[in-house]
Amino acid sequence: MDSRAQLSHVSWTHTLGILRGAAEGNDAKYNHTLGGYDRHVRPLVDAGLVAWLADGEEPENDSFVRTTEAGQAFYEEYLTGLPAHTVCRSNAWVDIPEIDRATTALAAEYEQRVQGGDV
């Protein structure tokens, strides 16, 4: 399956929730279940925004990934200072302007890094 076909099944809001959670020490913090986790984390891994924890690397809480420098920079630019009502699960983030801005930026970052060959 090519990358565009894979992306058709990605919820950018859930992907954003994984990135935000990873930056805060628990990549599942903003997602209700881990169903579809691999599908939603894949764009972050492919774009170099998160990395899988290495064997033997102690996860904070129950994380599977950690942010990279680029992922941490994205988090700081787009995901800090969000409204208080975004501390809930990511599937409730629809129609929040700050989240819309972040998901648009995340999709563009993915496109630039992966489709553009930066990774």
Side-chain angles (χ1 to χ4, degrees):
M1 181 183 305
D2 71 16
S3 61
R4 292 211 187 266
Q6 289 174 345
L7 290 179
S8 69
H9 299 292
V10 168
S11 161
W12 287 107
T13 305
H14 286 89
T15 300
L16 196 63
I18 293 170
L19 177 61
R20 183 180 180 191
E24 295 174 4
N26 180 353
D27 58 6
K29 180 178 182 178
Y30 296 104
N31 293 306
H32 183 63
T33 67
L34 292 179
Y37 180 88
D38 289 340
R39 177 178 61 240
H40 300 307
V41 78
R42 176 60 36 205
L44 298 170
V45 172
D46 289 350
L49 298 175
V50 301
W52 293 105
L53 293 176
D55 289 342
E57 187 175 354
E58 288 296 317
E60 295 182 31
N61 298 318
D62 289 322
S63 291
F64 296 102
V65 296
R66 59 176 165 67
T67 54
T68 61
E69 283 185 37
Q72 190 63 35
F74 186 94
Y75 168 78
E76 290 170 9
E77 182 171 346
Y78 293 99
L79 301 174
T80 56
L82 290 173
H85 63 278
T86 64
V87 297
C88 59
R89 302 293 183 195
S90 61
N91 54 339
W93 293 353
V94 247
D95 299 325
I96 297 172
E98 296 88 349
I99 297 296
D100 289 345
R101 178 178 168 263
T103 55
T104 299
L106 181 59
E109 184 85 7
Y110 174 85
E111 188 72 26
Q112 177 189 354
R113 290 175 164 270
V114 175
Q115 305 299 336
D118 289 351
V119 177

